[in-house]
Amino acid sequence: MSDGEDKKTESRPKKTLTLKSSGVSQGTVRQNFSHGRSKSVVVETRKRRITLPGEAKPTVVLKRTSGTPTPATAPSSTPAKTEPAVPASAASTLGGLSASELDARRRALQQAEIQEIDNKKRKEEEAERDKEREIKLLKEREEEAKLQAEKEAAEQIKFEDEARVAPKSDVMEPEAILPDEIPAKTAAALGSEKKTKALKPFERKKTEETVRPAKPKSGEDRRRTKLTLSNALDEDRGKRGPSLAALRRRQEKAKRAASQQSGPREKISREVILPETITIQELAQRMSERGVDVVKFMMKQGQMLTHSDIVDADTAELIAEEFGHSVRRITESDIEEGIFDAPDEESDLQPRPPVVTIMGHVDHGKTSLLDSIRSANVVEGEAGGITQHIGAYQIEKDGQKISFIDTPGHAAFTAMRARGAQATDIAILVVAADDGVMPQTIESINHAKAADVPIIVAINKMDKPDVDPSRVRNELLQHEVFVESMGGEILEVEVSALKGTNIDKLLEVILLQAELLELKANPDRPAEGIVIEAELDKGRGPVATVLIQRGTLRVGDIIIAGDEWGRVRALFDDQGRKLAEALPSVPVEVLGLNNTPAAGDRVGVVDSEARAREISGNRYRIARDKVAASQAGSRGSLEQMMSQLQSSELDEAAVVVKGDVQGSVEAICGALDKLATEEVAARVVHSAVGAVTESDVALAAASNAPILAFNVRANRQARDAAEIEGIEIRYYSIIYDLVDDIKGVLSGMLAPERRETFLGYAEILEVFNVSKIGRVAGCMITEGRVERGIGVRLLRDNVVIHEGMLSTLKRFKDEVSEVTSGQECGMAFENYQDMRKGDVIECFRVEEIERSL
């Protein structure tokens, strides 16, 4: 560079560095996300320079650098030179946009300006409407507050008037404050409130929100009772005073507090009504005691019970008496009143046929005698030739009807004989002339005497040779059965069921006895009776054999039998004929019950299905509570439970019992219970009437129990399930076969009996030490004999020192199996070496003998 150029450069002034706007503007935008999250985002907006036709273009200065012309923008201080208008043809090259694109952009800008003006105007209108709506709402609130204040003031004035008229009480009357007594602070507050009212509604709301003082923690409460001038004149506070009901409650509470005496309350003795079963909580409520106190009392007595546990009436009575209350027990629910034992007018009674029960020992000819009377053969229909069901029949003799009930004589059917005696008028005691009085004969006599039923003795099997009826009469005397031939009052008849001898005479004696009893009943009343037998028939459903005792049972009647009920669909007599009604002393089969009732249940007619359901549900609940109460009472204390677990060595055999009728199932369960001993017992897991089903097999599989089916069979599904589960189903038709099998199973479960047999005595003469054997005693057999492998006892001064087994028996150097009296031998004991000279060895053999029930 030349000197001239250097001077020119130095004389040129330096430019100041400035930050020019680059056309980029920044802003912050709040970005919202889900769940209340937000984020601030910086947004840059870059503006683009657009040159329109007719506008001045930026001045472009060509700056020469190193001889190369370079375009440069003129500084801002230099005024821009106005260029002449560019033709339309050349405008397309300006900014890279055509004329049509520039027109479109201009129109878009104009539309955006118009839309922005419209949006601004719309927002102003919405703001005006919101303001008007807020002013209107504020006025409505003020009017509501004013009305509420006027209403409360009127109620307060009314209450003051009532309190002024009423006598003086413990409640303080509200005091009226005169205007002269208003303090300065209150007047200042009133003045500020008047100023607040003069403001505009919108401004007043803001003022109230900002000026409203905070509520003091320990100040006046909004439910205060005093009526002050500020409260009466304040229309905008909107606070509610106490209601009249609250004031009355407060007044009553004050009276109770004033009348309450100090010290413990006096114990009040109450009469507690106790049903057959009751829960601990309900008992505590009836005694007005705390349930916790009752539970604590039972714990002190050794019973671990809770509030929901059920106790029987006896236990509940003891608890109530311990708490100082009296008890009144009820046996039946009030809903069952009037069903049974309603009195009849004497004029309504009419004669009825006698009900005769045939009782006696098994195989003494009871059913054969009834066959001769009915001219039918029932014995052939019974398995094993013995009666296993209770049967009811009716015959006619000389125009008079007699109802017979045949009971089984087997020992397992004790409950059946007891039911037969309770439902009868006359009992016929059948005694075989060749056997005499047997155990079930004695039991039948006791049942008849317990039921207070007259007895007629029928001495059967008189057709056999060499029979002595006087022997039967003498044996009956031992059981206080005095027949007429022996000077007593009990009628007797010698009969032969096989030959039909004296059957007519027996019927005449029955009618004579019935005439003396004067049996009567009222047929014009709802029927009452007793269930003789019940079964589940596959085609007919539950079938109950019912003996009508009073009234008349008709088809369509609603009956209740135990905890089962139903509408009578059909009635059948003993011949299978359909009946429309059943009179007193008539045995009938009843169809229509919803389930199989229990034998011995009483049957009664009710007026509606609703009452039948109620009675049935009540009886079912009572039966369930009885079972629960017995289980709860058997739990005892924890100490008792532990001692029972430690001392219990009972081995049980679980079984599932299914039978054809209710009486048979009951008899089987009773027979199995009698087989129980202190060591073994048969536990009936489930018993029911009907065929064996899959549910029975599932229950048996869960309990690992066989299924005993008496006169019933298993369906195909049950058989398949039993085969898969490996459950044995045993079928029986004779009850004593079933009992014998279970007795054999229980006998096999008994531990064998150990029986000890004495063999002999040996005296130790010397003790030797033998290698590989140990100490060996040289003995002399003084009594009996000694065998190898037997049990021995070592006696020292007649005291047993050791008991064990004999391991070695030698004579000289040889092992022998037996040494007799007077010989010497060598003995060694198992696991015992302390033998001394002069000790005595007692030898014995132990045998295990199988036991049986």
Side-chain angles (χ1 to χ4, degrees), residues 200-443:
K200 294 183 180 180
F202 188 72
E203 295 177 353
R204 177 190 167 200
K205 181 180 178 182
K206 290 184 179 179
T207 307
E208 284 183 352
E209 289 179 354
T210 55
V211 178
R212 180 177 298 168
K215 183 178 180 181
K217 292 185 178 178
S218 59
E220 294 181 348
D221 188 31
R222 72 178 184 86
R223 300 184 65 85
R224 57 193 174 186
T225 57
K226 283 189 176 183
L227 178 65
T228 61
L229 186 60
S230 60
N231 290 338
L233 298 178
D234 190 1
E235 300 176 354
D236 300 325
R237 295 183 64 174
K239 294 184 179 180
R240 297 183 58 187
S243 63
L244 294 177
L247 292 173
R248 291 193 189 98
R249 285 195 299 270
R250 189 179 301 174
Q251 185 177 1
E252 291 174 0
K253 183 177 180 181
K255 287 182 180 179
R256 286 196 303 268
S259 62
Q260 186 176 7
Q261 299 178 358
S262 61
R265 291 188 303 170
E266 184 180 355
K267 182 77 173 181
I268 300 176
S269 178
R270 292 179 170 81
E271 183 183 21
V272 182
I273 300 176
L274 294 181
E276 294 183 2
T277 57
I278 190 172
T279 61
I280 295 293
Q281 184 64 34
E282 187 177 356
L283 176 62
Q285 291 176 357
R286 295 190 181 190
M287 295 188 302
S288 295
E289 303 284 351
R290 295 194 310 164
V292 177
D293 296 337
V294 180
V295 172
K296 288 181 180 178
F297 172 75
M298 295 304 295
M299 291 176 66
K300 291 179 181 178
Q301 302 300 319
Q303 295 286 336
M304 307 297 291
L305 302 178
T306 61
H307 293 78
S308 59
D309 283 332
I310 300 170
V311 296
D312 55 7
D314 296 334
T315 306
E317 183 175 359
L318 293 175
I319 295 172
E321 290 176 354
E322 286 292 333
F323 279 86
H325 303 286
S326 60
V327 173
R328 182 165 65 90
R329 296 176 62 168
I330 56 174
T331 56
E332 291 183 357
S333 178
D334 296 338
I335 60 174
E336 298 189 23
E337 292 183 358
I339 299 179
F340 301 107
D341 302 328
D344 292 321
E345 296 292 337
E346 189 68 26
S347 59
D348 297 333
L349 301 179
Q350 298 180 13
R352 65 172 177 85
V355 179
V356 181
T357 300
I358 300 178
M359 307 173 71
H361 192 72
V362 63
D363 286 336
H364 275 204
K366 299 181 297 299
T367 307
S368 300
L369 181 62
L370 187 59
D371 290 347
S372 299
I373 295 173
R374 298 178 63 224
S375 300
N377 193 355
V378 181
V379 176
E380 292 181 357
E382 294 286 353
I386 64 170
T387 301
Q388 301 178 112
H389 304 94
I390 188 166
Y393 314 96
Q394 191 173 49
I395 66 165
E396 188 171 349
K397 172 67 176 176
D398 298 333
Q400 298 182 2
K401 294 183 178 180
I402 304 174
S403 298
F404 285 93
I405 297 177
D406 186 16
T407 61
H410 194 272
F413 296 97
T414 302
M416 286 190 181
R417 286 190 294 277
R419 282 197 301 272
Q422 292 172 359
T424 190
D425 301 318
I426 302 171
I428 296 180
L429 184 64
V430 179
V431 185
D434 55 347
D435 287 344
V437 177
M438 300 297 284
Q440 271 65 59
T441 309
I442 301 171
E443 186 181 312

Side-chain angles (χ1 to χ4, degrees), residues 696-698 700-702 704-707 719 721-729:
D696 298 328
V697 175
N704 195 19
I707 299 176
R719 289 196 301 268
E723 185 177 354
I724 294 173
E725 297 288 345
I727 298 299
E728 182 184 9
I729 303 177

Side-chain angles (χ1 to χ4, degrees), residues 409-711:
H410 194 272
F413 296 97
T414 302
M416 286 190 181
R417 286 190 294 277
R419 282 197 301 272
Q422 292 172 359
T424 190
D425 301 318
I426 302 171
I428 296 180
L429 184 64
V430 179
V431 185
D434 55 347
D435 287 344
V437 177
M438 300 297 284
Q440 271 65 59
T441 309
I442 301 171
E443 186 181 312
S444 300
I445 294 171
N446 295 332
H447 287 321
K449 288 183 177 180
D452 196 15
V453 174
I455 298 175
I456 298 176
V457 178
I459 304 175
N460 196 18
K461 300 185 180 181
M462 291 300 298
D463 56 308
K464 287 189 174 182
D466 301 331
V467 293
D468 187 10
S470 60
R471 173 193 164 205
V472 176
R473 297 185 180 95
N474 291 327
E475 291 178 352
L476 290 174
L477 289 176
Q478 301 175 8
H479 302 285
E480 298 181 357
V481 178
F482 306 104
V483 297
E484 281 186 335
S485 60
M486 303 294 288
E489 297 180 354
I490 296 177
L491 301 176
E492 57 172 323
V493 181
E494 297 178 0
V495 298
S496 172
L498 189 62
K499 302 294 184 179
T501 307
N502 290 336
I503 298 298
D504 292 338
K505 183 179 179 181
L506 178 62
L507 295 177
E508 290 175 0
V509 171
I510 292 172
L511 293 175
L512 177 62
Q513 185 69 48
E515 186 177 352
L516 294 175
L517 294 175
E518 296 181 356
L519 303 173
K520 293 182 179 180
N522 180 16
D524 301 327
R525 55 160 296 157
E528 295 180 22
I530 186 172
V531 178
I532 302 297
E533 192 56 273
E535 62 179 332
L536 184 63
D537 191 276
K538 185 176 181 181
R540 301 187 296 174
V543 179
T545 302
V546 179
L547 176 67
I548 307 300
Q549 296 174 318
R550 304 170 64 189
T552 302
L553 182 64
R554 297 177 175 83
V555 176
D557 287 345
I558 301 172
I559 60 174
I560 182 80
D563 54 359
E564 309 296 340
W565 70 279
R567 186 183 293 273
V568 177
R569 291 192 290 109
L571 298 173
F572 297 93
D573 62 1
D574 58 318
Q575 302 292 332
R577 295 171 296 191
K578 203 167 185 178
L579 303 177
E581 61 182 16
L583 297 173
S585 300
V586 176
V588 290
E589 287 186 343
V590 179
L591 277 65
L593 291 170
N594 60 347
N595 208 342
T596 306
D601 287 342
R602 297 189 68 181
V603 179
V605 176
V606 295
D607 51 0
S608 64
E609 291 187 6
R611 190 179 183 193
R613 288 194 189 94
E614 188 176 6
I615 296 173
S616 174
N618 184 54
R619 290 182 177 180
Y620 176 77
R621 181 182 55 80
I622 291 175
R624 182 192 59 195
D625 292 348
K626 282 183 179 179
V627 175
S630 62
Q631 293 176 353
S634 63
R635 287 187 295 179
S637 63
L638 184 61
E639 183 179 357
Q640 294 173 355
M641 293 169 62
M642 295 300 294
S643 62
Q644 288 176 4
L645 289 174
Q646 293 175 359
S647 62
S648 177
E649 297 180 356
L650 184 65
D651 195 4
E652 293 182 335
V655 295
V656 175
V657 178
K658 296 300 291 287
D660 55 345
V661 295
Q662 186 73 32
S664 299
V665 174
E666 181 183 8
I668 292 171
C669 295
L672 297 182
D673 289 340
K674 290 182 180 179
L675 294 177
T677 63
E678 295 180 354
E679 299 180 34
V680 294
R683 179 169 59 93
V684 179
V685 178
H686 174 65
S687 61
V689 176
V692 180
T693 61
E694 289 182 88
S695 60
D696 298 328
V697 175
L699 180 60
S703 305
N704 195 19
I707 299 176
L708 308 180
F710 185 77
N711 284 337

Side-chain angles (χ1 to χ4, degrees), residues 796-838:
R796 186 174 297 163
D797 297 331
N798 293 325
V799 177
V800 178
I801 302 301
H802 171 70
E803 181 175 348
M805 300 296 294
L806 186 65
S807 61
T808 303
L809 180 62
K810 288 189 176 184
R811 180 163 174 76
F812 300 106
K813 294 184 179 180
D814 300 328
E815 288 278 351
V816 294
S817 61
E818 182 178 346
V819 179
T820 58
S821 177
Q823 296 179 350
E824 295 182 351
C825 64
M827 294 185 189
F829 297 162
E830 288 183 358
N831 303 323
Y832 190 75
Q833 303 291 328
D834 187 16
M835 296 165 300
R836 299 178 186 178
K837 182 180 178 181

